[in-house]
Amino acid sequence: MKNTAIITGADGGMGTEITQAVAQAGYHVIMLCRSAESGEERKRQIIKNIGTAHIEVMEIDLSSMDTTSKVAKQILQKDITIDLLMNNAGTMCTHFTQTREGFEETVAVNYLAPFLLTNLLLTRMHAGSRIVNMVSCTYAIGKITSCFFEKGGQGSFWRIPIYSNTKLALWLFTKELSKRIITQGITVNAADPGIVSTSIIRMDMWFDPLTDIFFRPFIRTPRQGADTAIRLLISEQFQGISGKMFASGKEKHLKPYYHNHPQAHSLWNDTQEKLTKYLY
């Protein structure tokens, strides 16, 4: 079996670009997609672009911890070792939605699913395996409060702060995980794609068409946004580097506060407690 890469949100804009680059580098890629139909369409497009590629599509609902756990266990049943894990999928819900399991949906997709999926798949990773989490510059305005899991944040629902809270949580997970797996030789880093022209960039307001005309041409394409993550996954330059955040291919020099965040350890423990029934 070829070296294996797993990519979430692989049927999205950046996810497709990451899948294509990793497949072109010779990896067997498992595309974890919200829709199997969409995933198969993207797979055909990639094979058309690069020729022969070893790609398979699996459908996953990352808002459901039960489904995420089941898909992870299906992957564990395969005769593979995991060399690359790209937690790329993300969402920014436009209104307050709680999943059937009682979690705010943006929190479930952007933070809880990567935490759960990564921890379940670690058993198939080895020294040299790489994990990359897709964060955002908005982590810097994020706050983790007591109602984070169920409501996303305090006060009335507003998508941008809640999205920011999930990206801070994902960074804290990245940093804490890097400490916990350092002796295993597995690396984990965060990629900040910048402002990218994807379906998340919308406000569902009357001015959206004007935004598309005047704003989108000046922000990054999905390929440009995916570039840092692709480098972290397959470039020799980043071999052995762990616990850092990168943007535009370079390390972001964060304030010491974000490297030694007072909530990093407690957030891990709280998350583990919330997901106990899905982790074991």
Side-chain angles (χ1 to χ4, degrees):
M1 176 66 73
K2 288 178 173 289
N3 292 346
T4 300
I6 297 171
I7 300 168
T8 69
D11 51 341
M14 286 194 292
T16 300
E17 297 291 350
I18 295 167
T19 299
Q20 179 165 306
V22 171
Q24 197 161 22
Y27 287 83
H28 167 71
V29 182
I30 300 176
M31 300 176 69
L32 297 187
C33 304
R34 184 175 182 180
S35 159
E37 182 180 0
S38 173
E40 291 292 347
E41 182 180 337
R42 295 298 181 123
K43 173 183 172 180
R44 288 191 292 271
Q45 173 190 327
I46 290 167
I47 292 174
K48 182 179 179 181
N49 290 344
I50 68 174
T52 304
H54 297 270
I55 301 173
E56 62 178 295
V57 174
M58 296 180 72
E59 188 169 283
I60 189 169
D61 178 3
L62 293 169
S63 70
S64 165
M65 299 304 104
D66 183 60
T67 301
T68 299
S69 177
K70 286 177 180 176
V71 171
K73 289 168 184 176
Q74 288 172 14
I75 293 171
L76 292 174
Q77 290 172 2
K78 297 176 180 287
D79 183 24
I80 60 171
T81 56
I82 299 169
D83 302 275
L84 308 177
L85 172 59
M86 178 71 230
N87 289 308
N88 163 72
T91 191
M92 189 192 296
C93 294
T94 59
H95 58 279
F96 177 67
T97 305
Q98 254 187 353
T99 69
R100 286 183 296 178
E101 295 152 345
F103 302 119
E104 193 280 323
E105 189 167 337
T106 306
V107 173
V109 174
N110 293 4
Y111 172 63
L112 292 174
F115 184 102
L116 178 59
L117 188 67
T118 301
N119 276 285
L120 288 172
L121 297 182
L122 273 173
T123 57
R124 285 299 178 85
M125 297 185 191
H126 55 84
S129 291
R130 304 186 192 187
I131 303 165
V132 178
N133 296 324
M134 194 71 83
V135 294
S136 161
C137 60
T138 61
Y139 79 90
I141 60 171
K143 295 180 180 179
I144 309 298
T145 63
S146 59
C147 55
F148 171 65
F149 295 101
E150 293 78 20
K151 295 180 62 179
Q154 290 183 319
S156 58
F157 184 90
W158 186 23
R159 74 174 77 177
I160 295 175
I162 289 173
Y163 177 82
S164 304
N165 297 346
T166 66
K167 292 304 182 177
L168 172 60
L170 189 59
W171 163 245
L172 297 185
F173 167 58
T174 303
K175 191 66 183 179
E176 183 70 14
L177 179 62
S178 71
K179 297 175 182 177
R180 291 172 181 253
I181 60 176
I182 189 169
T183 60
Q184 300 177 46
I186 301 168
T187 63
V188 54
N189 291 292
D192 172 6
I195 302 175
V196 183
S197 183
T198 68
S199 59
I200 284 181
I201 304 298
R202 70 188 194 283
M203 299 304 290
D204 293 322
M205 300 288 284
W206 64 267
F207 52 74
D208 276 358
L210 295 176
T211 300
D212 286 342
I213 294 171
F214 294 110
F215 181 61
R216 283 190 187 273
F218 300 100
I219 62 178
R220 294 183 176 187
T221 65
R223 180 60 181 82
Q224 291 170 330
D227 183 68
T228 295
I230 292 169
R231 294 189 196 190
L232 288 171
L233 287 167
I234 62 177
S235 171
E236 289 297 316
Q237 176 187 355
F238 298 104
Q239 185 174 3
I241 296 174
S242 191
K244 299 182 183 298
M245 187 187 296
F246 293 83
S248 300
K250 298 177 181 178
E251 182 182 349
K252 290 187 74 167
H253 296 287
L254 310 183
K255 295 178 180 178
Y257 177 79
Y258 290 105
H259 283 291
N260 300 285
H261 198 284
Q263 291 177 283
H265 186 71
S266 61
L267 178 63
W268 179 289
N269 290 340
D270 291 344
T271 306
Q272 196 167 40
E273 183 178 343
K274 295 283 186 183
L275 298 179
T276 296
K277 65 181 287 188
Y278 309 107
L279 280 165
Y280 305 104

